[in-house]
Every structure is written in C-alpha cells, then in structure tokens.
Amino acid sequence: SIAAQTTQNLPLFEEFTSSTCGPCVGFNEVFTPFMDAHPDDIAVIKYQMSWPSPGDPYYTEEGGVRRFYYGVSGVPALIGGGLWAGASSTGLNNSYAYESSRVAFFSMSSNFEIDGDNIEVEVGIMPYISANMRVHIVVIEKLTTENTGSNGETEFKHVMMKMLPDAEGTLVNFTNGVTSTLNESFDMSSTFVEEMSDLAVVVFIQDDSTKIVMQAINSTEGGIGVDETLLQSVSIYPNPSDGILNVTTDRKIDISIHDILGKFVYSNSIENSKTMDLSHLNSGVYIITVTDGKNQTSEKIFINK
C-alpha cells in the first residue's frame, strides 16, 4: 500500500509489571520520572501480572492475553511501539527516540465520558493507507494504591483496568481517506477501579502480522461526538514540518496553535487552502486545533527545523 501522506507517530509504551516483583521497583524508579517528563508526547499502559507468586491483586485475564501476545516470560518487561525495548534506562530512551522519529499513516481523535460507573469512548480514525489493522481501546487508572504487594511499592501508575470490547480489540478494514468511527461503553463497577474520576483512555492501532503499533492517542475527556466530515475535510501536512505547513479544506475553518504547555502561539482563518509559515516557532511539539464553528478537532504537529 502506498500512503497518501504521513503524520507524526505517538510512542506507546506497554509495561508488564507486578507489585510482587522486586526488580520492577528499580525499573519503575526510572520509568516514572520519564513518564512525568513526557506527559503529552507518549502513551503508557501497564499490565499488572500474576507472578511472582502470589501476583499482583489487579491482574486480569486481559493482561494475560497481552502477555502471551508478546511472549512475555518475565517482569519487568517493556514494549515500545510493539517492539521489545528492554526494561532499562538505555532501552527506554532508545525506544523513545526511535518511536518519536517514526512516521505514522493514521490520524486519530478520541474522547471519553464518565457517567457514574459507566465509561463511553468514541474514536475517529483517518487512514492514509488501505489495510486491515486492529484497534485497541484501553481504560487505565492514572494512579492506584490498593494493589500494594510485597515489593515495597505503594503507588502504581497507568494501570490497565479494561480493554474494550476485550483484549482482542476490533479488527478494522481501513480504506485510504475514509474515516472509521468506533464507539464502546462499559460498566466499570466489575473492575478494580478505585476512583472513576481518575480514569483515562489510550487508543492504539496495531498490525498483528508484525505486532508494530501504527499509531496511538491519549483520549480526551468530554466532547463525545467525533465529526467525521471535519476529519475528512481538513488536511494538514507535512507533519513533522520544518515550519511550513500546508492546509487544505472544503469549508471555512479557524485554526489556533498552542505549545505543549498551553501557551497560544498562532491563529488564522482559512478557506480552501493556505500555506502557513510557522518558521518563527522553535522546534518542538504543538497542538493545532481546527473548528468550523460547530465542530472541533485537534492533533499534535511537530516542528523540526
């Protein structure tokens, strides 16, 4: 398949760990500060495992499915973008550098809402290739404390609570340029969730033939209602960019850009097409928000001069 265009890849890290694993403490002392230093430019899922005996209290069969998918036989184990990374500072940083530089062939948007014990997730995916890929929607809890085991750790971050609809995900036959929308909901009262308000959602696309993760996104809370027409009508490229961005659209849109810390840096109104000169901005990650007055979508752009 020849891609119509590319976009920036968001690195996904999947860690297999346990509150009864002594060596996991040392790696998490490296991984946790790394996560804190990269709050917006990575996605993280942690699967609590059933060993060393007696195993983590928050182990689930869905975590076991992911373990066997990768052939994990010991913890800690770190997978970056579907590839073995090595549970070490060197492995983590090398994987991050590789995954950050890799292009992707899917743009994604995702929102979730919480109502009592129920969570609802919506995902919009614009493919730039035609291919069969598997989409995984993963509900995580950002911080848990009640699964403390024997290794001395008392806090656990990004713990997988539920995979929607299950650990097999959803196989989607993507067609280049045609938006796919997925919707899932689940009553989380049957899971190990400690606080519903502390939930987050990670969505990723995986090629089962290679296990490579083709794209990932951290879902945004609120705003359920992915607008397929807005996703289809606006194209922003290249991404990454040297500071010159081309925008094409079939309607009047307003664009605003903020840096990764939320500081406003640029805005413009566009009809049909326009070339935006952002060469005055520093290299880095920016959030570009597009609205047509009724609907809104956002994505990350990467400027590398």
Side-chain angles (χ1 to χ4, degrees):
S1 180
I2 299 176
Q5 68 178 74
T6 63
T7 188
Q8 180 64 35
N9 180 58
L10 183 75
L12 170 70
F13 290 102
E14 297 172 271
E15 183 192 0
F16 296 81
T17 184
S18 174
S19 61
T20 60
C21 161
C24 294
V25 178
F27 177 63
N28 284 331
E29 287 175 348
V30 172
F31 196 20
T32 298
F34 181 88
M35 292 166 55
D36 293 341
H38 299 275
D40 298 304
D41 59 351
I42 62 173
V44 178
I45 303 165
K46 293 193 176 186
Y47 306 102
Q48 308 302 117
M49 292 289 97
S50 59
W51 85 98
S53 181
D56 195 288
Y58 284 1
Y59 168 77
T60 71
E61 291 184 2
E62 290 176 334
V65 170
R66 293 301 289 175
R67 169 204 169 184
F68 288 110
Y69 181 81
Y70 288 120
V72 173
S73 59
V75 288
L78 183 69
I79 308 294
L83 303 173
W84 283 84
S88 67
S89 177
T90 299
L92 173 60
N93 284 287
N94 287 346
S95 179
Y96 173 72
Y98 175 75
E99 290 297 317
S100 296
S101 65
R102 186 163 61 87
V103 298
F105 309 107
F106 298 86
S107 290
M108 301 172 66
S109 63
S110 178
N111 300 81
F112 72 95
E113 290 183 348
I114 296 172
D115 183 10
D117 289 330
N118 193 70
I119 188 167
E120 181 182 358
V121 185
E122 187 169 52
V123 182
I125 303 173
M126 170 60 76
Y128 303 126
I129 58 173
S130 297
N132 290 323
M133 298 284 173
R134 199 169 297 274
V135 180
H136 293 280
I137 300 173
V138 186
V139 181
I140 62 173
E141 187 158 4
K142 289 179 280 187
L143 180 68
T144 67
T145 59
E146 296 177 13
N147 56 316
T148 299
S150 58
N151 70 353
E153 290 183 288
T154 57
E155 294 184 341
F156 308 88
K157 292 190 173 184
H158 290 231
V159 177
M160 188 276 290
M161 290 290 162
K162 184 72 180 79
M163 302 187 73
L164 302 175
D166 52 35
E168 298 300 324
T170 302
L171 188 62
V172 179
N173 184 11
F174 290 106
T175 299
N176 188 356
V178 178
T179 302
S180 291
T181 302
L182 285 75
N183 296 273
E184 294 288 346
S185 62
F186 192 77
D187 183 346
M188 299 295 292
S189 62
S190 61
T191 69
F192 294 119
V193 169
E194 295 177 5
E195 297 180 36
M196 289 293 295
S197 60
D198 195 39
L199 295 182
V201 176
V202 174
V203 184
F204 64 97
I205 303 169
Q206 192 159 34
D207 181 353
D208 282 339
S209 65
T210 63
K211 294 187 170 56
I212 290 176
V213 173
M214 304 299 288
Q215 184 61 291
I217 190 172
N218 292 302
S219 186
T220 301
E221 186 169 6
I224 286 288
V226 173
D227 177 36
E228 295 184 21
T229 59
L230 185 58
L231 282 170
Q232 291 174 327
S233 69
V234 179
S235 180
I236 301 172
Y237 61 94
N239 189 10
S241 166
D242 62 1
I244 305 301
L245 277 176
N246 300 306
V247 181
T248 60
T249 176
D250 65 359
R251 69 190 72 185
K252 182 178 180 180
I253 58 172
D254 293 317
I255 286 180
S256 62
I257 301 177
H258 295 76
D259 66 19
I260 201 66
L261 299 178
K263 179 181 177 182
F264 170 80
V265 296
Y266 180 89
S267 65
N268 210 327
S269 294
I270 296 174
E271 290 188 66
N272 297 323
S273 63
K274 186 177 182 67
T275 297
M276 299 189 302
D277 186 352
L278 305 178
S279 58
H280 63 286
L281 298 179
N282 294 326
S283 295
V285 181
Y286 295 85
I287 307 298
I288 184 166
T289 301
V290 179
T291 179
D292 61 3
K294 296 188 298 181
N295 306 289
Q296 178 176 298
T297 186
S298 298
E299 69 174 283
K300 289 185 177 69
I301 58 171
F302 293 74
I303 295 179
N304 185 17
K305 297 189 293 184

